[in-house]
Amino acid sequence: MNKITKLGLLTFLISGALLAGCSSESDQSTGTEKNVEEETQTTDVKSDTSEAMEESIKFYFTANEGGSISKIDASSNEVVESIEVDGAVHNVQVSPDGKMLGATLVPAMNHGGEDTHGEDSHGGSMEMKGQALFYDIETNKLQKTIEVGNHPAHIVFTEDGKYALVTNNEDNNVSIIDMATLTVIETVNTGKGPHGFRISSDSQKAYIANMAENTVSVLNLDSMKEEKRITVGSAPVTTGITSDGKVLVATLNSENMLAIVDLSTDEVEKVEVGVGPAQVYIDENNQFAYVANQGTESNPSNTVSVIDLESKKVTATIETGKGAHGVVSDGDRLYVTNMFENTVTVIDTKQNEVIDTFEVGEVPNGISITE
């Protein structure tokens, strides 16, 4: 078990005169009344300052298949909370309003092996349904547990906050959860082995990588139906979509490639990346795609490939820990989970250099950050 570092509370010392330009009415107050007023105003300033500082703190979270979720302070890269669960947490995502964390859970009796994308990733008997978990980000308390399908993989919120979608890898479908009622309102069929996915910025379409075939399912979230499938290549693990909705990317685990799809024509171009690519993240400017190259447990990879989406070329290869899997960015920093070292690597995206690596929970998989 990893040693968890607890974040101490910040104490602000506010000194000096807080009252200025006192009126003649204030001057006529007794000394006791003045002290009470000064103390009240000082407390208010402290409270306002603390609240402002709390709002400015950014956290990111790792889904640990060893049975926990790590909550990390992005300013210090310290694990401030380890949320224990009974089973394997495969993926996490922060809601658009930053108030809730969604996670997918394969319950303990349900989990037949660690998901290593290439080594019996989804084996084992499934005696009970998987779950979607929802936590309050401020308190870390579990708010709701929702039954979904067998071996839930990824969870993603629509940008409008209306829905959360969960891919059920062994059922070949997606559970659509209404966030207003926190209930499953639709189950939509996909291709075989639906896994990682992203949703368009207009909250209209979900692009789901079907690991057990060579396609990406396009789900229409108005009609709640699969609209079409795009052939991209062998064993797509997850997808990314530019904010303008024009370009789709998908990691091709069996080909060591990133598929780049022009959505106006569905034409595919491929760029060679590292061994066993897993997750991909497109930066906020739609300029770069960051691909985490995992490999397998017996033959791990340990790099992130940086692809220029305009030139369709790898512009940098950055060394991480073994089994690079999940990847997310806040613009200035890139955060990568290393499954086979139980660590996260932090990368400066301006210099494409590693600035920190630290331990989290066991077998970190998905990763998400507050905005």
Side-chain angles (χ1 to χ4, degrees):
M1 295 296 295
N2 295 317
K3 182 178 180 180
I4 304 300
T5 305
K6 299 293 184 182
L7 178 67
L9 296 176
L10 296 176
T11 303
F12 300 98
L13 300 177
I14 300 175
S15 59
L18 295 175
L19 303 177
C22 295
S23 66
S24 58
E25 183 175 329
S26 298
D27 291 339
Q28 294 172 7
S29 302
T30 66
T32 301
E33 289 172 335
K34 285 184 179 180
N35 289 339
V36 170
E37 183 177 357
E38 288 176 2
E39 184 177 345
T40 300
Q41 291 197 25
T42 301
T43 301
D44 289 343
V45 172
K46 284 183 179 181
S47 177
D48 291 345
T49 304
S50 298
E51 287 177 4
M53 289 300 294
E54 283 182 8
E55 288 178 1
S56 68
I57 294 175
K58 184 180 293 185
F59 297 102
Y60 55 103
F61 301 82
T62 63
N64 308 315
E65 293 197 341
S68 68
I69 298 170
S70 296
K71 181 179 183 179
I72 302 136
D73 183 338
S75 65
S76 62
N77 293 325
E78 292 184 347
V79 176
V80 298
E81 187 77 24
S82 181
I83 304 168
E84 304 299 321
V85 298
D86 187 18
V89 189
H90 189 82
N91 188 248
V92 287
Q93 194 188 35
V94 174
S95 63
D97 62 7
K99 295 181 179 180
M100 190 171 287
L101 181 73
T104 54
L105 179 72
V106 181
M109 66 180 294
N110 203 0
H111 192 52
E114 292 174 355
D115 186 347
T116 55
H117 297 309
E119 291 190 346
D120 192 24
S121 301
H122 300 282
S125 62
M126 298 300 162
E127 298 178 11
M128 61 183 292
K129 295 287 187 180
Q131 298 170 352
L133 310 177
F134 294 93
Y135 291 89
D136 182 294
I137 281 181
E138 183 180 356
T139 64
N140 308 319
K141 300 298 184 183
L142 181 65
Q143 302 298 300
K144 184 78 171 182
T145 298
I146 301 173
E147 184 178 280
V148 288
N150 284 317
H151 208 119
H154 283 217
I155 182 168
V156 179
F157 294 91
T158 55
E159 284 297 317
D160 59 13
K162 189 174 182 180
Y163 303 120
L165 277 64
V166 174
T167 46
N168 301 307
N169 187 267
E170 294 206 347
D171 289 346
N172 302 329
N173 60 31
V174 172
S175 298
I176 300 180
I177 299 167
D178 185 331
M179 292 305 299
T181 61
L182 287 176
T183 57
V184 175
I185 57 170
E186 291 284 350
T187 301
V188 182
N189 292 329
T190 62
K192 295 179 180 178
H195 196 260
F197 66 106
R198 294 291 177 185
I199 297 173
S200 59
S201 60
D202 62 6
S203 302
Q204 297 300 302
K205 295 182 180 181
Y207 296 87
I208 297 168
N210 298 311
M211 278 188 66
E213 56 183 57
N214 60 354
T215 66
V216 169
S217 289
V218 182
L219 268 57
N220 186 311
L221 296 181
D222 282 334
S223 64
M224 298 289 184
K225 293 181 180 180
E226 183 186 42
E227 193 172 273
K228 62 179 178 179
R229 294 182 196 175
I230 304 171
T231 299
V232 292
S234 183
V237 173
T238 195
T239 67
I241 180 78
T242 54
S243 59
D244 59 12
K246 294 181 178 180
V247 178
L248 173 74
V249 298
T251 52
L252 306 178
N253 187 264
S254 296
E255 296 184 27
N256 301 331
M257 296 278 187
L258 179 72
I260 302 177
V261 184
D262 181 343
L263 287 175
S264 66
T265 62
D266 289 350
E267 290 185 3
V268 179
E269 293 186 56
K270 296 179 182 180
V271 179
E272 186 174 1
V273 292
V275 176
Q279 288 194 22
V280 58
Y281 190 89
I282 297 177
D283 78 331
E284 58 188 4
N285 298 317
N286 298 323
Q287 184 178 4
F288 298 111
Y290 297 93
V291 176
N293 303 304
Q294 177 187 296
T296 61
E297 190 168 8
S298 59
N299 185 28
S301 184
N302 63 338
T303 63
V304 167
S305 300
V306 184
I307 297 93
D308 185 301
L309 290 176
E310 184 175 358
S311 66
K312 298 178 177 63
K313 292 182 179 179
V314 174
T315 60
T317 301
I318 307 164
E319 188 171 327
T320 62
K322 292 180 180 178
H325 183 96
V327 57
V328 71
S329 176
D330 61 6
D332 296 326
R333 301 284 185 267
L334 191 74
Y335 305 91
V336 183
T337 58
N338 304 308
M339 288 187 71
F340 307 133
E341 289 187 356
N342 301 335
T343 61
V344 166
T345 293
V346 184
I347 297 168
D348 183 327
T349 56
K350 301 296 187 293
Q351 303 297 323
N352 285 333
E353 293 180 353
V354 173
I355 57 176
D356 199 3
T357 297
F358 60 96
E359 290 188 2
V360 289
E362 295 179 8
V363 197
N365 194 305
I367 187 168
S368 186
I369 192 166
T370 57
E371 294 183 358

